[in-house]
Amino acid sequence: MAVRYELIKECKDTGARVGKLHTPHGVIETPIFMPVGTQATVKSLTPEDVKRTGAQIILSNTYHLYIRPGTRVMEKAGGLHKFMNWDKPILTDSGGYQVFSLGDLRQIKEEGVTFRSHLDGSKHFIGPEEAMYIQNVLGSDIMMAFDECAPYPAEYDYTKKSMERTLRWAKRCKDAHKNTDKQALFGIVQGGMYQDLREISAKETVAMDFPGYAIGGLSVGEPKPLMYEVLDYTLPHLPREKARYLMGVGSIDALFEGVERGVDMFDCVLQTRIARNGTAMTSTGKVVIKNAKYEEDFSPLDAECDCYCCQNFSKAYLRHLIKANEILGLRLLSEHNLRFTLKTMENIRKAIMEDSFVEYKKEFFKKYIY
Amino acid sequence: MAVRYELIKECKDTGARVGKLHTPHGVIETPIFMPVGTQATVKSLTPEDVKRTGAQIILSNTYHLYIRPGTRVMEKAGGLHKFMNWDKPILTDSGGYQVFSLGDLRQIKEEGVTFRSHLDGSKHFIGPEEAMYIQNVLGSDIMMAFDECAPYPAEYDYTKKSMERTLRWAKRCKDAHKNTDKQALFGIVQGGMYQDLREISAKETVAMDFPGYAIGGLSVGEPKPLMYEVLDYTLPHLPREKARYLMGVGSIDALFEGVERGVDMFDCVLQTRIARNGTAMTSTGKVVIKNAKYEEDFSPLDAECDCYCCQNFSKAYLRHLIKANEILGLRLLSEHNLRFTLKTMENIRKAIMEDSFVEYKKEFFKKYIY
């Protein structure tokens, strides 16, 4: 089996747990946050930069790589690891979420999805078999099943039909996946914000016996308490001995809440996206670096942070760079935000190991204002 | 004296020479190319990135830093080195060239130049005394005198008056410079494309006894042969025992021609500017990475190059990054272009030391097509 989850320690007070995910490209300590490298690059950073943030695995997007540079180039490159020179684990999504996000440009049928490229309008088709084929070419350590992520809000009937189709697609993905010894295929639980649908989806997906399970269809616009409620009734249906991945979630508070409920893996573009807008995540909350109060502030972004940015540059300099539209500014903030998040995950793992997760969370949010 | 030029070796066939420029922030081997960090950052690169290209000194622009973040912030930061975390030598221009480039936004008088900020239209004045004050605050190792760079083409009379004013301004700069033990002020020879004016300017500037001399007013649109002609009749008037700096020049062929005529220092935005457009400088000439022929070319940009980009990434990947507008693409090309240029300067110094500069130049341009 390509990927194996090893449970190391469970929190005595909550669902939080520490584990190890063994993959062909190395061992990942969980709970973990995965930086996103949509187009075969974590925006503005080299693989070395990404590694020094503490990243153990990154996520890349199948739809984007399928559209550009295309499956043929990726095949000739010898897969995504070689192409982008990243030798640690990679998780790829299935392209489903991205394709559904195209809105009017796509049409969903039982067979799969016909869509037009966001780049040149050319017509394409991706179904479960195509999603497996592309991800087999990419050679990611963890592949995701081709699913439909229902929008929020969505009617019960639509969500039910969509969830049921996602189950049928999961089966087809399993059958089409060609490289099971080197790539693990994770199933995805859907069902929107409806408890019975989530339970059916979880049970049926688990019945197909995947090496790991994701919870999809969250962080799609619903209020956070609703997301946590869905996690509360969904996670108990996922097996204790497999990794659990909450897709597209990465705000600091949601990371804590997810971990507390038993989530092992997270990904989000938030860290690098807000960096490009000049916003930093720090131990006291968000810092909008363009703010005039930082003009003559020669202290680091976060006095507690061990990242390259905080060790070498001041808020005044970062403010100057961002105001002057200098790439170095968003690059330094990107690296910082990823390091801040991954360091927080390190602290979370440590706290769980030391039976102090609840206390750590409390302490953290005494300082962190959001 | 803040800066001392040490002549190490003169080429027996040409004016080329190897030297050492001793500065408060370390020794620079010449001939040298200086990467440009206009706004207190070499675009897209960290100080560590810049160092690994082989850079020994960078140039920064007084006008830009005066406008943003401003002299007060730079003073409170403790100078430019600290602000941008660069511990090697820095040369700053005087702001003159940038201010004259503002066109209709500026007005030149004997006292100095009144101009409007390119950012917010606010009114400012910089004369020789202000240029010295700002550069004293910046704390650059090498400061440049406040001069007027005449446009090309320019009438004889205009060029003469402008050159004479530049001489008067040079004297005022010398008198206003406050920090002579830690910062060296270089004089600038002007005179456009007129031999007698260049000779007068050179002699009068040298008579003021600066620790180094620049040739300004070249690479302003004139044909390259004309530039080389000006160098031919100007350089003999500059003292052998002082460093000679050709401002704003950095195309590979012009670097060789300048060195051959006795130039020690160069700067140019070309390397990083064309990188941002997806163009690489290689041992066989320019490579436009978006070209379709590189789509499945998994070889490095330049097989002979030892830079981080060439050691880790393929042309196919770089093409993908540039086509996808990914910052990492222009960042890697920026680092490569600087490394290529600085490595070429290393080779030039080595060739001069081994009495083989003429042969090296010949060999180089057998392969390098421009």
Side-chain angles (χ1 to χ4, degrees), chain B residues 302-368:
Chain B
D302 189 339
E304 295 180 16
C305 183
D306 60 2
C307 86
Y308 171 73
C309 173
C310 289
Q311 295 299 310
N312 289 283
F313 303 99
S314 67
K315 288 203 269 295
Y317 182 61
L318 293 168
R319 177 176 189 271
H320 165 69
L321 292 178
I322 293 290
K323 281 189 72 85
N325 291 316
E326 284 287 356
I327 286 169
L328 182 58
L330 60 91
R331 180 183 154 186
L332 291 173
L333 290 188
S334 295
E335 186 169 340
H336 166 80
N337 284 351
L338 288 178
R339 178 60 193 151
F340 175 75
T341 305
L342 285 154
K343 179 76 183 173
T344 301
M345 296 308 281
E346 279 176 39
N347 292 339
I348 285 176
R349 291 195 297 270
K350 193 161 167 277
I352 297 170
M353 291 304 290
E354 294 169 353
D355 284 321
S356 60
F357 173 72
V358 174
E359 293 79 0
Y360 175 65
K361 185 183 168 196
K362 215 167 163 183
E363 280 303 307
F364 185 92
F365 286 103
K366 269 187 195 162
K367 283 179 27 189
Y368 188 88

Side-chain angles (χ1 to χ4, degrees), chain A residues 9-14 16-18 256 259-260 344 346-364:
Chain A
K9 166 104 183 174
E10 288 178 302
C11 175
K12 60 180 177 13
D13 309 305
T14 71
R17 59 201 211 144
V18 162
F256 274 90
V259 166
E260 185 164 313
T344 301
E346 280 177 39
N347 291 338
I348 285 175
R349 290 195 298 272
K350 192 161 168 278
I352 297 170
M353 290 304 289
E354 293 169 354
D355 284 320
S356 60
F357 173 73
V358 174
E359 292 78 1
Y360 174 64
K361 185 183 167 195
K362 215 166 161 184
E363 279 304 307
F364 185 93

Side-chain angles (χ1 to χ4, degrees), chain A residues 79-234:
Chain A
L80 181 55
H81 285 90
K82 275 195 190 170
F83 186 61
M84 66 180 293
N85 196 34
W86 173 259
D87 58 8
K88 287 177 180 279
I90 298 176
L91 181 149
T92 45
D93 67 359
S94 67
Y97 179 81
Q98 315 280 340
V99 165
F100 295 113
S101 305
L102 292 172
D104 290 347
L105 292 171
R106 50 81 179 159
Q107 197 187 10
I108 310 171
K109 291 186 179 167
E110 182 63 23
E111 189 56 22
V113 185
T114 306
F115 61 96
R116 291 190 178 277
S117 157
H118 71 290
L119 290 182
D120 61 7
S122 57
K123 211 172 169 179
H124 300 265
F125 174 83
I126 294 184
E129 291 75 17
E130 290 74 17
M132 293 302 101
Y133 171 70
I134 304 165
Q135 291 182 81
N136 281 160
V137 167
L138 294 175
S140 48
D141 300 79
I142 300 171
M143 300 162 50
M144 299 307 298
F146 190 71
D147 64 330
E148 185 191 346
C149 174
Y152 176 82
E155 294 296 323
Y156 183 87
D157 283 355
Y158 179 91
T159 308
K160 183 166 185 284
K161 278 180 190 157
S162 162
M163 179 273 282
E164 287 166 349
R165 187 168 47 216
T166 288
L167 286 173
R168 292 189 297 275
W169 283 357
K171 175 71 174 57
R172 282 167 57 191
C173 284
K174 230 186 155 212
D175 293 343
H177 175 25
K178 291 271 187 282
N179 197 15
T180 49
D181 57 328
K182 289 194 179 153
Q183 298 182 267
L185 173 62
F186 278 22
I188 303 178
V189 175
Q190 290 288 354
M193 311 298 158
Y194 302 102
Q195 182 165 358
D196 62 328
L197 300 184
R198 283 283 174 184
E199 285 173 358
I200 295 167
S201 176
K203 282 175 192 167
E204 296 289 322
T205 308
V206 170
M208 285 184 239
D209 190 24
F210 289 97
Y213 299 95
I215 299 167
L218 292 179
S219 199
V220 289
E222 79 283 8
K224 274 181 176 169
L226 183 50
M227 173 169 92
Y228 302 146
E229 200 186 310
V230 175
L231 289 180
D232 281 334
Y233 56 62
T234 306

Side-chain angles (χ1 to χ4, degrees), chain A residues 335-348:
Chain A
E335 186 169 339
H336 166 80
N337 284 352
L338 287 178
R339 178 59 193 153
F340 175 75
T341 305
L342 284 154
K343 179 74 182 172
T344 301
M345 296 307 282
E346 280 177 39
N347 291 338
I348 285 175

Side-chain angles (χ1 to χ4, degrees), chain A residues 40 43 48 308 317 326, chain B residues 40 43 48 72 308 317 326:
Chain A
K43 288 197 187 299
E48 283 68 25
Y308 171 73
Y317 183 61
E326 284 287 354
Chain B
K43 288 196 187 300
E48 283 68 24
R72 194 188 61 201
Y308 171 73
Y317 182 61
E326 284 287 356

Side-chain angles (χ1 to χ4, degrees), chain A residues 39-40 43-44 46 48-49 68 72 76-77 83 85 296 298 308 312 317 320 323-324 326 330-331, chain B residues 39-40 43-44 46 48-49 68-69 72 76-77 83 85 296 298 308 312 317 320 323-324 326 331:
Chain A
Q39 301 192 109
K43 288 197 187 299
S44 86
T46 64
E48 283 68 25
D49 295 340
R68 182 174 56 197
R72 196 188 61 203
K76 293 198 175 178
F83 186 61
N85 196 34
E296 298 180 0
F298 298 102
Y308 171 73
N312 289 282
Y317 183 61
H320 165 69
K323 280 189 72 86
E326 284 287 354
L330 60 92
R331 180 183 155 186
Chain B
Q39 302 192 109
K43 288 196 187 300
S44 85
T46 64
E48 283 68 24
D49 296 339
R68 182 174 55 196
R72 194 188 61 201
K76 293 199 174 176
F83 186 60
N85 197 33
E296 298 180 2
F298 298 103
Y308 171 73
N312 289 283
Y317 182 61
H320 165 69
K323 281 189 72 85
E326 284 287 356
R331 180 183 154 186

